[in-house]
Amino acid sequence: MSPVPAPRPANAYVRAWFAQVRILDDLSAFIQRHGPGAAQELPLLNWSLGGHYALIAELREGESSLETLRAYATALGVEVHERAKPQRTVYSVRGTIPPASVERGEPHSSVLIQLTVHDNLDNANGGTPMDERVTVHGQDGDAR
Amino acid sequence: MNQSTIKLGSGAQIKTVSDAWARQLRTFDDLYGFLLLHGPSMRQPLPVLEWTLGGYYALNAELHDSEDAMETLRAYADVLGAKVYMRTTAHRIVYSVRGALPPARQGQAGPATDVLIRLKVARRPGGASGGAR
C-alpha cells in the first residue's frame, strides 16, 4: 500500500475532517427538507465542499437560473446580491444552512451560490466598460 | 427543474427530478460513509479533499499541485482499488483516479457513486514530473 501522506498538524486535519463530515450532514438534511413534494421544493445544484465558504454552488446561465437563485435566497432567508462587472453580471446568495442536529452548538455551514450572466456581445462591444456596482434584491426580486 | 436525462459514469441514467434528488442524497450518504471509514485514527485515514458533487461523475475532486499531492492521489487509488492514470498534454500532465465508493448501506440498489480525482501538474522543461503506476 502507498504511504499515507505526511499528516498536516494533527489538529488541522482533524478539524478539516470533522468540518467536512458535518457540512455533508447539514447539506443532506437541507436537501431532504427541500426535496420533491416539500413545501419549499428547490432545484438541485452541483455543490462543492470546502474552501472559504463551506458550500459553494455555481449556477449555469439559463432560462430559470435567476429563479433558482431567488428560490434558494428565500429558503435561506437572505437576499440576492447583484454585482455588475464589465461584460457580465454576477448574482450571488450568501447564507447559512441550519445544523442537521439541533443540539449542535457549532457555527452553521456557510453557503455561497453564484450565477454569472454574460452580456450580449453587442452590448459588451458597444459601450465603455461599466464601473462595478452592487445592487441588492429583496426576496420579491425587486432591486432596492 | 431540469427534467432531461443525465448519464452517469457507470452508464446509468437519471430521468426524473425524483431520481436526481434521490441520486444526490445517495451520493451524500455514500461520501459520508466513506469519510467516516477513512477519518482520523482509522486504519486507512485519508487527507480531506474539496469534493464537487454532480456532473458526469457523481463526485469530483481536483488536487492542487503540491509536494504530497501525488501521494494523496495514490492513497485514494489504493483505498478505491483503482489505478492512477497519466495523460500528457502539451503543457501539463494530468493524473487521474476513477473509481466508485462502496454503498454506505448494505444491499443498496442502484448504480455505485462514481468518483473522479484529478491532479494537474505543469510540465517542466526537460522532463515530466511525478510518476504513475
Side-chain angles (χ1 to χ4, degrees), chain A residues 1 15 22 26 41-42 60 65 68 78 81 91 95 105 111 120:
Chain A
M1 192 178 79
R15 274 202 305 271
R22 214 200 91 208
D26 292 350
E41 189 178 330
L42 290 173
R60 291 195 197 119
S65 45
T68 297
V78 296
H81 289 257
Y91 298 92
V111 176
N120 292 330

Side-chain angles (χ1 to χ4, degrees), chain B residues 2 7 9 18 21 43 51 66 79 104 108 112 114 118 120 127:
Chain B
N2 186 6
K7 285 183 182 172
S18 290
W21 181 78
R43 201 167 56 84
W51 294 102
S66 66
V79 162
Q108 204 159 26
D114 299 308
R118 288 200 299 187
K120 292 175 186 168

Side-chain angles (χ1 to χ4, degrees), chain B residues 37-119:
Chain B
L37 278 177
H38 297 285
S41 77
M42 299 303 280
R43 201 167 56 84
Q44 279 184 297
L46 288 171
V48 174
L49 301 185
E50 291 182 8
W51 294 102
T52 297
L53 296 92
Y56 188 72
Y57 281 82
L59 284 166
N60 295 271
E62 193 86 34
L63 292 175
H64 302 289
D65 188 9
S66 66
E67 215 173 88
D68 57 5
M70 184 56 78
E71 281 178 50
T72 296
L73 198 66
R74 285 190 181 133
Y76 271 88
D78 276 335
V79 162
L80 294 170
K83 288 179 174 168
V84 178
Y85 288 88
M86 183 177 93
R87 189 164 56 90
T88 307
T89 65
H91 302 290
R92 61 191 183 192
I93 304 169
V94 182
Y95 299 96
S96 62
V97 167
R98 290 174 172 81
L101 296 187
R105 295 164 211 275
Q106 288 284 325
Q108 204 159 26
T113 296
D114 299 308
V115 176
L116 171 63
I117 308 170
R118 288 200 299 187
L119 163 65

Side-chain angles (χ1 to χ4, degrees), chain A residues 30-47 59-60 62-69 71-72, chain B residues 1-6 14-25:
Chain A
F30 181 77
I31 300 290
Q32 286 190 50
R33 275 200 304 277
H34 296 283
Q40 262 190 306
E41 189 178 330
L42 290 173
L44 291 177
L45 301 182
N46 287 351
W47 293 101
L59 290 176
R60 291 195 197 119
E63 220 170 82
S64 58
S65 45
L66 200 47
E67 267 176 59
T68 297
L69 197 67
Y72 271 87
Chain B
M1 205 183 291
N2 186 6
Q3 299 254 8
S4 60
T5 299
I6 301 162
I14 288 174
K15 287 181 181 165
T16 66
V17 172
S18 290
D19 283 350
W21 181 78
R23 178 77 204 168
Q24 192 168 67
L25 284 179

